[in-house]
Amino acid sequence: MKIYLDGQFCSEADAKISVFDHGLLYGDGVFEGIRMYHNRVFKLREHIERLYWSAKAILLDIPMTQEEMIAATVETCRQNNLRDGYIRLVVTRGKGTLGLDPRKCPKASIIIIATTIQLYPEKTYAEGLTIVTVPTTRNIVNAVNPAIKSLNYLNNVLARIEANNAGVEEAILLNSDGFVAECTADNVFIVQKGKLYTPPLSSGALYGITRNTVLDVARELGIPSGEPSLSRYDLYIADEMFLTGTAAEMIPVVKVDGRVIGTGKPGPITAKLLAGFQARTRTDGEIIFA
Ligand code: PXG
């Protein structure tokens, strides 16, 4: 595996950062997870834009332009001879002192890892996930805003531990008002009487790129959609439910907190949206090998 680290490609063994990097010491940095499908980096421009928005929000200066970052990401896929797979892009505050003041970190570090991933077995996509809501609440927007894709994922890790303790693969986090925000690494959708709903961005959900894609596909298919506040009750009485995320893609949910969703099987509107999503992965994104 060849890893991009600060402008150079190196082996995994040589891809090292300082123990004084504030990404490690304080979770001070930002990241993206991106997919390649069929020789294209899916929605690369959108991911890079969001990375720079996250960096802007924490006043982190990324020492290259968005176009250069796009080129470096595509080149990392080429160096690893990958046409399908998963990219993890990390920008840390860089090496500093043991104090947390970011002014002591003169230069951000950029890491690009391109590899393969399968988050869930095929069976789970066919049969659907069982999930639970967990006690850990989504970060409030005026603390570390959950819209920032920061290296501070401890809130999400805690929720994932609670899912593990409950014997399930994902967790629904509610916001401090008690409404559904999202899962630990995915946005949430439900279908009710032919309409598609997902929590609003103000709920504390990430501005998900897969979420946006699914809303676009719904518009294209003429499926009405809305972004109202959703409570656990709304999930329990949904006809269909699924999660969206770059790594998980679109995954059906068939049980929440012991309540069977709809028929207990992935639903027909989920299937239509999935087909539309898969079609887009063939045509949308930067080409890797010309
Ligand atoms: N919510 C959160 C909190 C996320 O971190 C999503 C939603 C989905 O967003 P996109 O833009 O990918 O549709 C994410 C995605 C993983 C993994 O391994 C995924 C994410 C972060 C960390 C790990 O599945 N991000």
Side-chain angles (χ1 to χ4, degrees):
M1 195 191 311
K2 285 194 191 145
I3 293 171
Y4 178 97
L5 177 60
D6 295 331
Q8 313 270 340
F9 284 98
C10 55
S11 69
E12 188 183 333
D14 290 333
K16 291 185 179 142
I17 59 156
S18 168
V19 293
F20 290 95
D21 193 304
H22 281 207
L24 173 69
L25 290 175
Y26 302 113
D28 187 355
V30 295
F31 78 105
E32 278 296 321
I34 311 169
R35 279 243 187 202
M36 307 149 236
Y37 295 99
H38 322 291
N39 192 36
R40 287 174 186 272
V41 185
F42 186 59
K43 300 275 179 192
L44 179 57
R45 285 179 182 274
E46 287 81 351
H47 282 283
I48 298 300
E49 182 177 51
R50 187 172 65 186
L51 179 78
Y52 280 72
W53 286 343
S54 294
K56 185 174 188 182
I58 67 163
L59 281 170
L60 170 61
D61 215 4
I62 301 179
M64 61 202 275
T65 65
Q66 293 200 31
E67 285 306 320
E68 287 165 346
M69 188 66 87
I70 288 166
T73 306
V74 173
E75 185 55 29
T76 307
C77 302
R78 288 194 196 116
Q79 291 282 329
N80 289 282
N81 200 25
L82 284 166
R83 289 170 174 78
D84 289 271
Y86 183 78
I87 300 159
R88 177 58 56 88
L89 215 168
V90 182
V91 184
T92 76
R93 185 75 68 178
K95 188 177 162 185
T97 65
L98 290 179
L100 63 78
D101 187 347
R103 289 175 300 186
K104 301 284 165 56
C105 307
K107 195 161 186 256
S109 260
I110 299 164
I111 301 162
I112 310 174
I113 306 167
T115 181
T116 53
I117 194 175
Q118 177 155 30
L119 213 58
Y120 298 110
E122 282 308 319
K123 191 170 177 279
T124 313
Y125 287 93
E127 295 176 2
L129 269 179
T130 292
I131 63 176
V132 294
T133 52
V134 295
T136 292
T137 299
R138 198 75 183 102
N139 284 333
I140 59 171
V141 293
N142 219 20
V144 180
N145 192 319
I148 302 168
K149 215 163 153 51
S150 83
L151 295 181
N152 258 283
Y153 254 48
L154 201 47
N155 188 241
N156 307 50
V157 171
L158 290 176
R160 175 64 209 228
I161 289 169
E162 288 159 354
N164 294 348
N165 288 345
V168 300
E169 290 287 322
E170 248 300 0
I172 290 181
L173 291 104
L174 307 178
N175 62 27
S176 52
D177 293 326
F179 291 100
V180 175
E182 59 178 342
C183 288
T184 65
D186 301 296
N187 291 105
V188 175
F189 281 84
I190 57 169
V191 176
Q192 169 72 279
K193 297 198 185 302
K195 289 191 182 148
L196 183 67
Y197 299 105
T198 191
L201 297 176
S202 59
S203 67
L206 187 76
Y207 296 16
I209 289 164
T210 320
R211 176 185 183 276
N212 263 344
T213 307
V214 167
L215 288 170
D216 287 345
V217 170
R219 262 185 293 275
E220 187 181 277
L221 296 176
I223 298 167
S225 65
E227 301 176 39
S229 290
L230 297 175
S231 65
R232 283 188 298 155
Y233 170 80
D234 297 310
L235 306 185
Y236 299 158
I237 65 163
D239 297 326
E240 300 180 31
M241 181 170 172
F242 61 88
L243 312 180
T244 64
T246 295
E249 305 173 283
M250 268 184 71
I251 187 144
V253 174
V254 293
K255 208 185 234 190
V256 179
D257 298 338
R259 280 78 164 180
V260 172
I261 304 302
T263 62
K265 298 215 159 55
I269 292 184
T270 303
K272 270 190 204 165
L273 291 166
L274 176 61
F277 171 76
Q278 285 170 340
R280 285 186 179 227
T281 65
R282 296 188 170 273
T283 55
D284 197 325
E286 304 301 298
I287 291 175
I288 302 169
F289 292 101

